[in-house]
Amino acid sequence: MAAEATIIGAGTIGLGWTALFLARGLRVRVNSRRADAGRIVREGIELFAPTIPGGGADPDELVTRLRIEPDLDRALDGTDVVQENAPENLELKKELFGKIAAAAPPDALLLSSTSTFLPEDIGADLPDPRRVVVGHPFNPAHLIPLVEVVTAEGADSRLAERAAAFYRDLGKTPIVLGRGINGFVANRLQSALLRESIHLVRSGVVTVEQLDAIVVASIGLRWATIGPFHSFHLGGGPGGLRHWLSHLGAGLEKGWAGLGNPTMDEQTVRTLIDQADQAFAGRTYEELAAERDARHTAVLRALAELDEEAPAR
């Protein structure tokens, strides 16, 4: 397990990683040029610490291993792993990783939380572009288990396994993708559902609040326990997915043709914002995030207890 970690950026994802890295015993340097970085990071740790998987953590204990370091070279000196969380700007990330690769130890893991860019594009200006690895989390990064691991084309498979092992030691569920693809996997799935959600709200079928309630009370619950293919395999009865596809699956393409493709014009955006303001009125970001994390934690805890009780297969 790495001992020294450098977090680049103190936004929402960076703060989530910081809280988790500290809770798993790493000494963490957070690199941010924000004048209020110390306050922002401390507030983030206090918000996220109670729902760190495994029973939460004490914020006062976590900050004993924390250092805010605005100088990039000093933040990278002797580090074992770098987790970059800069804004989604390719030129910015390319320039940043050029500096990271020059200042970090040659054997340090260079990881990016990007949700958009492929690792070979981020590392294009490095002597060896294959050194950059995408470790894409799902927000909130301190709590949701998934990390999508993507290496550059031609990279040694051992690099992917090394990155996956690092995340596994943090208690994450790393999935090494077979190849890079824009948006990776989880965000593409999320985007497909969001597109239809916006279409249904825009068309007046449901409100924002109703749409959320429908997802939580149906596919959200289902997918928290089994994935789509597992679900439809069971939907086919004893014949499994083969039976389901040969019968009900025949109409899939026709159904897909009827899905919405909403235009994100001013009226659509205004409808979504107005309904969201009404649905979440009177509650702060901190209150909503704490409730979300408590619910996620309850689900994860229940699943972990079931896994412990299940007989070995």
Side-chain angles (χ1 to χ4, degrees):
M1 180 68 172
E4 301 281 347
T6 302
I7 304 286
I8 309 291
T12 301
I13 299 299
L15 293 175
W17 279 130
T18 298
L20 181 64
F21 282 22
L22 290 168
R24 296 300 181 248
L26 297 175
R27 293 184 294 274
V28 178
R29 310 99 172 256
V30 176
N31 173 252
S32 174
R33 292 179 292 183
R34 295 180 58 163
D36 59 350
R39 176 184 63 82
I40 294 295
V41 173
R42 177 64 197 233
E43 290 177 354
I45 290 172
E46 290 176 350
L47 177 62
F48 295 143
T51 50
I52 293 289
D58 177 5
D60 292 329
E61 193 278 328
L62 297 186
V63 297
T64 63
R65 293 186 297 281
L66 173 68
R67 186 173 113 215
I68 307 299
E69 181 50 75
D71 183 87
L72 182 61
D73 286 351
R74 287 199 295 268
L76 295 166
D77 184 30
T79 195
D80 296 308
V81 60
V82 180
Q83 185 80 45
E84 170 271 322
N85 312 277
E88 291 294 273
N89 179 300
L90 181 57
E91 292 306 313
L92 172 64
K93 288 183 184 289
K94 288 169 64 176
E95 179 182 357
L96 181 57
F97 268 94
K99 296 176 180 178
I100 291 171
D107 59 345
L109 265 177
L110 305 187
L111 306 168
S112 174
S113 297
T114 182
S115 59
T116 307
F117 304 117
L118 299 179
E120 53 263 45
D121 295 333
I122 295 174
D125 295 339
L126 271 61
D128 184 1
R130 297 169 298 181
R131 192 175 174 196
V132 177
V133 179
V134 167
H136 174 236
F138 214 59
N139 191 37
H142 73 289
L143 181 54
I144 300 295
L146 176 69
V147 182
E148 293 171 301
V149 176
V150 186
T151 54
E153 187 175 350
D156 191 319
S157 61
R158 289 174 295 183
L159 181 59
E161 181 48 42
R162 184 183 169 203
F166 168 71
Y167 289 123
R168 210 173 287 120
D169 286 342
L170 295 176
K172 290 291 193 179
T173 302
I175 304 293
V176 178
L177 303 192
R179 66 177 181 87
I181 185 171
N182 290 335
F184 312 118
V185 176
N187 272 351
R188 291 174 70 94
L189 295 173
Q190 181 174 244
S191 182
L193 180 59
L194 180 61
R195 182 175 70 174
E196 185 62 17
S197 299
I198 292 172
H199 166 68
L200 293 170
V201 171
R202 185 176 185 269
S203 302
V205 177
V206 288
T207 65
V208 162
E209 188 172 16
Q210 289 175 322
L211 191 286
D212 279 355
I214 288 170
V215 171
V216 170
S218 61
I219 55 178
L221 176 62
R222 174 187 288 175
W223 290 345
T225 56
I226 57 175
F229 288 120
H230 190 163
S231 174
F232 287 116
H233 177 68
L234 292 175
L241 189 61
R242 181 189 303 276
H243 177 77
W244 189 90
L245 287 174
S246 65
H247 290 74
L248 299 177
L252 281 176
E253 290 188 38
K254 183 178 180 180
W256 291 337
L259 293 176
N261 190 22
T263 301
M264 295 302 294
D265 54 21
E266 183 177 349
Q267 181 57 47
T268 300
V269 173
R270 175 52 53 195
T271 297
L272 296 173
I273 291 175
D274 287 348
Q275 291 191 22
D277 286 346
Q278 182 177 358
F280 311 126
R283 308 189 65 192
T284 66
Y285 163 76
E286 289 77 14
E287 290 170 338
L288 290 168
E291 180 184 63
R292 172 202 64 192
D293 293 353
R295 289 172 178 268
H296 287 346
T297 298
V299 172
L300 291 171
R301 184 182 298 120
L303 291 174
E305 290 174 356
L306 283 174
D307 288 341
E308 290 175 1
E309 296 171 0
R313 289 186 296 176

